[in-house]
Amino acid sequence: MTTHLTQPVRSAQLPPELPIGELERRMAFLDERERAVLCLHLGLDGCSPHHISEVAHLVHVARSRARIIEARAISKLQHPSLGGPWAA
C-alpha cells in the first residue's frame, strides 16, 4: 500500500507541526497494516477520518486489535532512532 499524505495531520497523537515529508519518511518504517490503520483512522491519505470500529472492519481485525496496531505504529513513528524533529 503506497500512501501519499495530502493533508495536515490533525491528531492529539501526532504533532501538527510535523512536516508531511517527515511523516511520509517515518511511515515507510511501518508495515502495511500499521500504515493502513493510521491512514484510515486519521484520514492521512486525503480521505475523511474513519471511526476505529470502521477501521477495524476494513482491515479485518477486532476493534481492540486496531487500537493496539495504531498505538504500536505511533510508537514506531516517535522512536528516537528515526531522528528529525520528532525525536525526544
Side-chain angles (χ1 to χ4, degrees):
M1 173 182 180
T2 302
T3 303
H4 299 287
L5 307 178
T6 57
Q7 67 185 45
V9 176
R10 302 281 185 230
S11 169
Q13 300 150 330
L14 301 176
E17 70 278 359
L18 187 67
I20 294 296
E22 177 65 15
L23 183 57
E24 284 180 333
R25 183 183 75 80
R26 289 168 180 267
M27 294 281 283
F29 290 93
L30 303 179
D31 66 36
E32 186 175 339
R33 183 177 280 178
E34 291 167 337
R35 282 192 304 274
V37 168
L38 280 183
C39 287
L40 289 167
H41 192 212
L42 302 177
L44 297 178
D45 58 359
C47 64
S48 60
H50 292 74
H51 189 273
I52 195 69
S53 296
E54 296 170 309
V55 172
H57 177 76
L58 291 169
V59 296
H60 309 289
V61 296
R63 186 176 60 199
S64 59
R65 183 69 181 139
R67 289 191 188 281
I68 291 168
I69 292 168
E70 180 182 36
R72 184 179 61 213
I74 289 172
S75 177
K76 284 183 180 181
L77 292 176
Q78 294 173 334
H79 198 275
S81 68
L82 295 179
W86 207 1

